[in-house]
Amino acid sequence: MIGKVVVSVASVLLLVGVAIGVVVIINKNGNTPLSPQMKAVQGICQGTSDKASCVKTLEPVKSDDPNKLIKAFILAVQDAVTKSSNFTGKAEGDLGSSISPNNKAVLEYCKKVFLYALEDLGTILEEMGEDLNQIGSKIDQLKQWLIGVYNYQTDCLDDIQEDDLRKTIAEGIANSKILTGNAVEIFHTVVSEMAKLNAKVDDFKNMTSGVFSPSDKGTAPVDKETPPVVDTPVADPDGPSRRLLEDIDETGVPTWVSGADRKLLANAGRGRRRGGGARIRANFVVAKDGSGQFNSIQQAVNACPDKNPGRCIIYIKAGIYREQVIIPKKKNNIFMFGDGARKTVITYNRSVGLSSGTTTSTSGTVQVESEGFIAKYIGFRNTAGPNGHQAVAIRVNGDRAVIFNCRFDGYQDTLYVNNGRQFYRNCVISGTVDFIFGKSATVIQNSLIVVRRGNKGQYNTVTADGNEMGFAMKLGIVLQHCRIVPDRKLAAERLTVESYLGRPWKKYSTTVVINTELGDLIRPEGWRMWDGESNHKTCRYVEYNNRGPGANTNRRVNWAKIARTAGEVSQFTVANWLSPVNWIQQSNVPVTLRL
C-alpha cells in the first residue's frame, strides 16, 4: 500500500502547485495567468519558510515536472553546500599562520561536517532516482538525511567560540542553510499532506490556498491555568521495567530495531556465561590484559569494515580504557558491549575550557559519526570536571542509535544527542549544565538522571534542546518514565543550588517530560530562560503526569505547557517521535498508540 500511496506524490504536488499558483497571482496581479512551470514552482515553494529564495532557485529550471524541479532543488542545495565548504577552507587560509589553535580546530571540524553533508546529499540524489513515484517508504529516510545536512551546518557555527569568526562563517554559509531548510520543508510538506489526505488526488483539486502553510512554526501554545497533574507510579530504571508502550516489544526495544539486532541486544549480557565465553560471538574483542585481538577500542573500530551492510560486533572486556574513541561516518552498524557500565569504562578528559584546540563536538570521549550504532553495558565518562566547561562524554551523530544499560558521567554537556533518531533505556546520565542536549529526535526511557554539584554559584539545567527548524519537524528530547535526583555531593545543597528541567538553546527548543519522578531539587519554576535570548517565547516545553515534590506545577513559568490528557503528548511516544518503526513487520505483540 505504501508504494501505491506515494505513486500520487508527483501528480498531487502538481495539482496543488497549480491551485496555489493561480490564487497567489490573482490576489496580487488581478487575472494575470501563470505559466505551467511557475504554477508548479509556486506549489512546491508555498510551504517553505523562505519562499523567495525557493522560487528564485527554481525559476531557471525549464520544466513543470515536480520530479525534475525537486531534484533540481537538491542539486542547488548540493552546489550551495559545496560553496560553503570552500568558504570555510578559504576563511582558514585567510587567517594565515596567526590562527589560534581553537579557530583552526573549529574550521577543520567545519570542513569535515560539510564533507559529511555533501556525502549525504549525494546519497539523497542517488536514492531519489528520476521519479518521485518510486521513492515509496524511502521518503522518511531522505528527510532525515536532509535534516542532518542542515544540522551539520549549524554544528559548525555552534562550535565557534569567537564572535567575529562566527559572524563571518554565518554570513558565508547563509545561503546553503536557507536552501537546506527549504529542502527539508519541501519533503516534509509532501509527506504530511499525503498522510493527511490519504493520497486522494480529488481532495486537492478544489483547494485554492493554504495547503502548504507551515503553521507548526511559531510560538507554542501556553496553558496557564492547568491544575497540577496526579501522581502515578514510575518504573524503576535500576530494576525490571514495565512494558509501557505497545510499540515497544517485551524486551523494551523499539520495534523498528531489526530482528537480528534485537537478538544481539538480548544476548549481549554483562560478564560471561558459565563455562566462559561471551554470550554472543564478537567480530573483535578488546581487552586490557591482552586476551583479545586489541587492547584499545579505537583499534577495533578501525578494523570494522566500511559501509558494512551487516553488524560489526565489538566486545569490550572489563577495564578502564583511557582513550578518545572516534567512530567515523563510514564505520556504520557498529555494536559494542561490555561487562557492565561500572566495569567496562571508556574515559577521557578533553574539554573546551582546559584543552587547547578543542570544540564542544571534538571534546567527546566517544564520538559516533555513523548510523546504526548500538551500545550496551558500557560506561562513558568525561573527567574534565566543572572547570572544563563543555566536556562531552559521548556525542552521537548518526541516525537510529540504540543505547541500553549504559552510564554517561560528566558535568557540562555530558550527553550530546547530536543528530538523527536515538533511543536510550535503563541508563544513568549525570551532569550539571545542559548535560542532555542536541538537535535530534531522542527518547530516554526508564533512566536515572543524576544532577551533580558544579562550581560555586553555578546553576544546573538537565536539558538544552537545539531545534531551530520548527515544530513540524520531529526534533527534541523526550524523558519518559525516568527519575531526576541529586547526587550525594549536591544532596545537602539541593534546595539552595538552582536546578531546572532545562533551558531553550534554540528558537524551537522542544523538551517533553512524561511520567517522570522529579525530586525536590527541581525549582518551582521548572524551566530557565537562556540568558540573553528570547527562545523561551517560541519554545515547546511540555510536562505530563509527572510525580514527586519537583512535579508541582503551580508556580511553573508561563511559557511551559502542562498537558492534561494523554492525547496532548501522544505525538512524543516512541512510535511517533522515532517513526517509522516498522512495527507491523517486526512486532509479535499488539500495537496501540496510547502511552
Side-chain angles (χ1 to χ4, degrees):
M1 286 300 295
I2 291 177
K4 291 181 180 178
V5 168
V6 182
V7 163
S8 301
V9 168
S11 57
V12 169
L13 186 57
L14 183 54
L15 286 167
V16 174
V18 170
I20 293 178
V22 169
V23 169
V24 170
I25 288 297
I26 287 174
N27 287 341
K28 292 183 177 180
N29 301 316
N31 294 320
T32 304
L34 282 177
S35 68
Q37 185 256 356
M38 283 307 297
K39 290 175 183 177
V41 169
Q42 291 280 1
I44 290 170
C45 294
Q46 185 66 20
T48 60
S49 297
D50 196 321
K51 298 178 182 64
S53 67
C54 179
V55 171
K56 182 179 178 180
T57 301
L58 291 179
E59 273 181 331
V61 183
K62 303 304 180 184
S63 176
D64 61 357
D65 181 356
N67 295 296
K68 294 180 180 179
L69 288 168
I70 292 177
K71 188 163 188 178
F73 199 93
I74 300 301
L75 286 168
V77 173
Q78 187 180 53
D79 180 64
V81 172
T82 300
K83 291 177 180 177
S84 291
S85 179
N86 293 338
F87 180 83
T88 57
K90 183 179 182 299
E92 182 179 4
D94 290 345
L95 291 172
S97 59
S98 62
I99 188 171
S100 69
N102 282 358
N103 284 346
K104 182 175 179 61
V106 76
L107 289 175
E108 288 295 323
Y109 178 73
C110 287
K111 289 192 293 185
K112 182 172 74 171
V113 294
F114 275 113
L115 289 177
Y116 289 164
L118 289 170
E119 181 181 335
D120 283 352
L121 284 167
T123 303
I124 290 167
L125 286 165
E126 181 180 346
E127 293 295 332
M128 282 177 65
E130 299 298 325
D131 189 355
L132 281 172
N133 294 346
Q134 303 304 314
I135 287 181
S137 59
K138 292 180 184 178
I139 199 159
D140 288 290
Q141 183 63 68
L142 294 177
K143 188 173 70 173
Q144 190 66 52
W145 284 328
L146 278 172
I147 290 173
V149 171
Y150 185 89
N151 283 345
Y152 288 137
Q153 297 170 70
T154 61
D155 288 347
C156 168
L157 295 176
D158 290 335
D159 268 18
I160 300 174
Q161 297 289 310
E162 187 178 291
D163 291 339
D164 289 344
L165 180 60
R166 187 188 307 111
K167 181 180 178 182
T168 297
I169 298 299
E171 291 173 351
I173 71 173
N175 186 53
S176 64
K177 271 189 65 185
I178 290 170
L179 290 185
T180 306
N182 280 346
V184 173
E185 289 167 337
I186 288 169
F187 270 79
H188 174 76
T189 302
V190 173
V191 175
S192 62
E193 293 305 321
M194 291 298 295
K196 288 178 184 176
L197 299 176
N198 199 24
K200 295 178 181 177
V201 177
D202 289 341
D203 289 346
F204 285 89
K205 290 182 178 179
N206 295 321
M207 290 188 177
T208 56
S209 65
V211 175
F212 286 155
S213 176
S215 58
D216 287 326
K217 284 202 171 183
T219 305
V222 173
D223 188 344
K224 300 180 182 179
E225 300 180 356
T226 304
V229 295
V230 178
D231 288 347
T232 56
V234 63
D236 183 355
D238 298 325
S241 56
R242 297 181 289 132
R243 184 163 161 266
L244 301 165
L245 292 177
E246 294 295 333
D247 47 286
I248 299 285
D249 72 12
E250 64 275 7
T251 66
V253 183
T255 51
W256 50 260
V257 176
S258 69
D261 287 340
R262 193 175 289 112
K263 289 179 181 178
L264 288 177
L265 285 165
N267 292 332
R270 287 177 285 195
R272 299 170 175 270
R273 293 186 179 208
R274 292 180 180 177
R279 289 178 179 267
I280 61 173
R281 183 182 297 276
N283 298 101
F284 304 110
V285 177
V286 182
K288 298 289 290 185
D289 61 7
S291 60
Q293 293 108 311
F294 304 107
N295 55 24
S296 86
I297 300 165
Q298 188 65 58
Q299 290 173 327
V301 169
N302 294 343
C304 287
D306 296 349
K307 299 181 179 179
N308 185 13
R311 279 280 165 203
C312 183
I313 304 169
I314 301 173
Y315 170 42
I316 308 169
K317 291 187 177 182
I320 306 297
Y321 295 84
R322 292 182 174 85
E323 60 176 305
Q324 191 170 39
V325 179
I326 299 174
I327 302 178
K329 188 174 177 64
K330 61 184 178 182
K331 301 288 185 181
N332 60 308
N333 294 332
I334 285 181
F335 171 66
M336 55 173 59
F337 68 98
D339 285 324
R342 292 185 181 275
K343 294 181 178 179
T344 298
V345 177
I346 310 170
T347 182
Y348 211 64
N349 63 352
R350 197 171 177 185
S351 70
V352 172
L354 300 176
S355 307
S356 178
T358 299
T359 73
T360 301
S361 296
T362 61
S363 71
T365 297
V366 174
Q367 300 171 37
V368 182
E369 305 286 6
S370 61
E371 295 186 351
F373 176 73
I374 298 178
K376 187 175 183 180
Y377 288 130
I378 299 174
F380 303 86
R381 295 178 187 168
N382 190 310
T383 58
N387 291 329
H389 303 299
Q390 298 96 323
V392 176
I394 186 171
R395 176 172 63 88
V396 180
N397 194 36
D399 191 28
R400 301 186 309 279
V402 179
I403 300 180
F404 278 4
N405 298 303
C406 290
R407 288 188 64 98
F408 309 96
D409 293 309
Y411 285 84
Q412 182 173 345
D413 293 357
T414 304
L415 174 59
Y416 192 174
V417 291
N418 197 169
N419 186 39
R421 291 163 290 187
Q422 303 186 28
F423 179 72
Y424 298 75
R425 188 167 176 106
N426 286 16
C427 293
V428 178
I429 309 162
S430 73
T432 54
V433 179
D434 306 337
F435 62 95
I436 303 172
F437 77 111
K439 309 167 187 176
S440 62
T442 290
V443 177
I444 300 173
Q445 285 186 346
N446 293 70
S447 293
L448 183 65
I449 298 170
V450 182
V451 183
R452 306 179 76 173
R453 186 180 68 183
N455 286 329
K456 186 176 181 180
Q458 185 181 71
Y459 59 79
N460 297 315
T461 45
V462 175
T463 65
D465 178 61
N467 178 4
E468 56 183 286
M469 299 199 71
F471 301 138
M473 304 302 157
K474 294 178 182 178
L475 296 172
I477 298 166
V478 179
L479 307 179
Q480 187 178 29
H481 291 280
C482 295
R483 288 190 290 151
I484 301 178
V485 300
D487 77 347
R488 291 179 181 178
K489 291 184 178 180
L490 178 62
E493 303 175 46
R494 71 189 186 282
L495 301 182
T496 56
V497 175
E498 296 179 3
S499 296
Y500 302 89
L501 295 171
R503 58 177 182 160
W505 180 22
K506 300 291 184 179
K507 186 174 183 179
Y508 301 109
S509 179
T510 296
T511 304
V512 185
V513 184
I514 302 172
N515 295 333
T516 288
E517 180 181 343
L518 309 181
D520 61 3
L521 76 161
I522 298 299
R523 296 278 298 177
E525 307 95 292
W527 309 87
R528 183 184 176 93
M529 292 188 294
W530 192 281
D531 294 341
E533 300 290 344
S534 58
N535 297 334
H536 62 285
K537 296 179 180 179
T538 51
C539 70
R540 176 171 56 179
Y541 280 178
V542 184
E543 298 177 57
Y544 174 70
N545 207 35
N546 297 314
R547 62 188 294 264
N552 189 319
T553 59
N554 287 337
R555 293 169 56 190
R556 283 296 192 259
V557 293
N558 63 7
W559 39 271
K561 177 181 175 61
I562 311 304
R564 295 173 174 173
T565 65
E568 295 176 80
V569 294
S570 63
Q571 64 178 302
F572 305 110
T573 61
V574 170
N576 292 322
W577 205 236
L578 304 181
S579 66
V581 295
N582 299 328
W583 49 268
I584 295 176
Q585 295 85 358
Q586 298 173 5
S587 177
N588 295 318
V589 296
V591 177
T592 67
L593 297 178
R594 65 181 177 83
L595 291 170

